[in-house]
Amino acid sequence: MALLILGILLLLIIALVIAVAVYVFKTQRQLVNTDELCKNALGQIDVQLNTRYDMLITLAKKLKQFNEVEANSMIKTIEARRPTGNITSATEAQQQQDFLGQMMSHLSVVVERYPEFHFDEIALQDRKDTKEYEENVRLARMVYNDTATKLNRMIRQWPSSFVASMLGFKDRDYFTVDRAEKRDVPIDQL
């Protein structure tokens, strides 16, 4: 009888160890999957930022026919600030996006001095591309924030938080919108 109870107890312990192992394995896979989705979303944002850098350089080169000194200065500034590696956080992507916004504003001011530039076919196409870029970035940021939320919940909620801390998963930061940026949208960009 004692041997039977000991056998049942041993089976329960083995079953519990297997259940915990399966839970850890399943949770680790979910964490890795969600982490990879976050990295993928940041990669999509990185691609969009590179596209915008290319577009700004193209516009600045087009500006050369009107003001070569200004255009060369802008090209040098854009190329110097262009990241050499992949973006690894929302904060880093936001800094790059802020810089690109500043350069775009500066370029708009310069373009205002040359009315014939407004009607140039390339300039019109680039403005259309800018709106498309903004929409793509907005969507990529939404996907990233949704995925980061999912990962952060898994990292913070019990019992998956134990697995996440054992495996070194960290919270992801989010993209936010500056309140001043929301209010000061130029009418021509709508």
Side-chain angles (χ1 to χ4, degrees), residues 66-83:
F66 303 106
N67 186 331
E68 190 168 340
V69 173
E70 184 95 44
N72 286 336
S73 173
M74 286 186 70
I75 290 169
K76 286 180 184 175
T77 303
I78 293 166
E79 288 176 346
R81 292 282 303 268
R82 189 176 196 151

Side-chain angles (χ1 to χ4, degrees), residues 2-189:
L3 199 54
L4 180 63
I5 292 175
L6 190 59
I8 292 173
L9 188 59
L10 185 59
L11 285 175
L12 285 175
I13 291 172
I14 290 172
L16 183 62
V17 168
I18 290 172
V20 168
V22 166
Y23 175 77
V24 168
F25 179 74
K26 179 180 169 240
T27 302
Q28 183 271 347
R29 290 180 58 88
Q30 287 175 332
L31 286 164
V32 168
N33 183 45
T34 308
D35 188 51
E36 287 300 317
L37 290 172
C38 281
K39 288 177 184 176
N40 180 282
L42 276 177
Q44 296 299 321
I45 293 167
D46 194 27
V47 166
Q48 295 301 323
L49 288 173
N50 279 320
T51 300
R52 192 163 187 201
Y53 273 106
D54 293 341
M55 182 200 61
L56 275 173
I57 289 173
T58 300
L59 281 171
K61 286 179 180 176
K62 185 67 179 165
L63 183 63
K64 274 187 179 182
Q65 67 186 359
F66 303 106
N67 186 331
E68 190 168 340
V69 173
E70 184 95 44
N72 286 336
S73 173
M74 286 186 70
I75 290 169
K76 286 180 184 175
T77 303
I78 293 166
E79 288 176 346
R81 292 282 303 268
R82 189 176 196 151
T84 55
N86 293 335
I87 290 176
T88 58
S89 71
T91 303
E92 188 180 338
Q94 186 64 50
Q95 290 169 347
Q96 291 299 317
Q97 194 166 352
D98 291 346
F99 168 73
L100 287 168
Q102 292 168 0
M103 291 306 297
M104 197 65 186
S105 295
H106 180 68
L107 183 63
S108 294
V109 169
V110 172
V111 165
E112 291 296 322
R113 294 185 215 144
Y114 307 101
E116 60 273 19
F117 189 76
H118 284 287
F119 300 105
D120 186 283
E121 189 64 35
I122 294 173
L124 290 173
Q125 181 61 39
D126 285 337
R127 284 183 177 218
K128 180 183 167 207
D129 291 345
T130 298
K131 288 181 181 183
E132 184 179 326
Y133 156 81
E134 293 294 340
E135 180 64 15
N136 290 342
V137 168
R138 185 185 71 78
L139 292 173
R141 287 171 62 147
M142 286 173 44
V143 169
Y144 172 82
N145 278 350
D146 288 345
T147 308
T149 298
K150 190 180 210 181
L151 179 65
N152 290 347
R153 281 186 189 144
M154 290 180 69
I155 290 170
R156 294 179 63 212
Q157 287 179 342
W158 186 86
S160 61
S161 61
F162 292 121
V163 177
S165 66
M166 285 185 334
L167 299 175
F169 285 91
K170 304 283 186 224
D171 279 353
R172 295 285 184 137
D173 51 346
Y174 297 103
F175 282 101
T176 58
V177 176
D178 182 22
R179 297 291 175 219
E181 182 182 312
K182 282 175 68 174
R183 283 191 297 265
D184 297 335
V185 176
I187 303 266
D188 65 337
Q189 290 185 3

